[in-house]
Amino acid sequence: MRAKNNMTLDILSLPENLSFARVTVAAFASQLDFTINDLEELKVVVSEAVGNAIIHGYEGSGGKRVRIGVTLYPGAAEIVVEDTGRGIADIEQAMMPAFSTDPERMGLGFTFMKSFTDDLRVESRPGLGTRVTMVKKPSLVMHSKVAQ
């Protein structure tokens, strides 16, 4: 499938950049036929993925980079969030609801990402970082295919 448009956002791993990342991705993705609810779900998954990079990948270190790439295809947006932090030793365990390496956290980030996207892939290597790829289709596209 050929891309219609794409963008890359490279931010410092600062909590104050979460809202910027989520709004930027949603604004860019609005070129597709996403509903307001779809865009809100995109904001949530971007917040969770970027938040995981900052909190878990970099353990709160503010001087690191988080890269967010968005590619728009006809009928879908692909969002990739990458860090070069500590990585995930056991991806299957990390994706379990309520699992967190930080006892202060609820451990629902991957659960939200899985629930609010059509496809979620996580690649990680300890000491080298994590790459989270999420695909979201506009719900109008999904409903029109079901109705056919």
Side-chain angles (χ1 to χ4, degrees):
M1 189 180 313
R2 188 170 173 191
K4 291 175 62 169
N5 202 353
N6 64 55
M7 68 142 214
T8 302
L9 181 63
D10 194 346
I11 60 173
L12 284 176
S13 57
L14 300 170
E16 51 265 41
N17 284 335
L18 275 172
S19 59
F20 175 70
R22 65 188 265 137
V23 170
T24 302
V25 170
F28 186 74
S30 70
Q31 296 173 48
L32 297 180
D33 290 329
F34 284 113
T35 65
I36 297 295
N37 189 59
D38 291 335
L39 293 172
E40 289 302 318
E41 289 177 352
L42 272 176
K43 289 179 188 177
V44 170
V45 300
V46 169
S47 287
E48 293 297 337
V50 173
N52 279 354
I54 294 169
I55 294 162
H56 302 291
Y58 294 130
E59 301 176 275
S61 298
K64 309 294 183 179
R65 309 299 295 181
V66 178
R67 175 168 281 181
I68 303 124
V70 182
T71 303
L72 302 180
Y73 297 97
E78 179 183 70
I79 301 99
V80 178
V81 177
E82 297 178 274
D83 68 67
T84 56
R86 71 178 185 182
I88 302 170
D90 186 339
I91 294 172
E92 189 175 323
Q93 180 184 36
M95 294 184 79
M96 297 294 293
F99 174 81
S100 179
T101 57
D102 182 346
E104 299 292 317
R105 306 282 171 189
M106 292 175 56
L108 296 175
F110 283 128
T111 301
F112 286 136
M113 287 181 242
K114 213 184 260 188
S115 295
F116 293 155
T117 62
D118 298 291
D119 186 37
L120 171 66
R121 294 182 307 277
V122 180
E123 303 164 64
S124 189
R125 293 186 58 200
L128 298 176
T130 301
R131 177 185 174 109
V132 175
T133 303
M134 301 170 283
V135 176
K136 175 98 174 141
K137 297 176 184 172
S139 57
L140 295 175
V141 172
M142 297 292 290
H143 286 96
S144 65
K145 287 185 179 182
V146 171
Q148 292 178 357

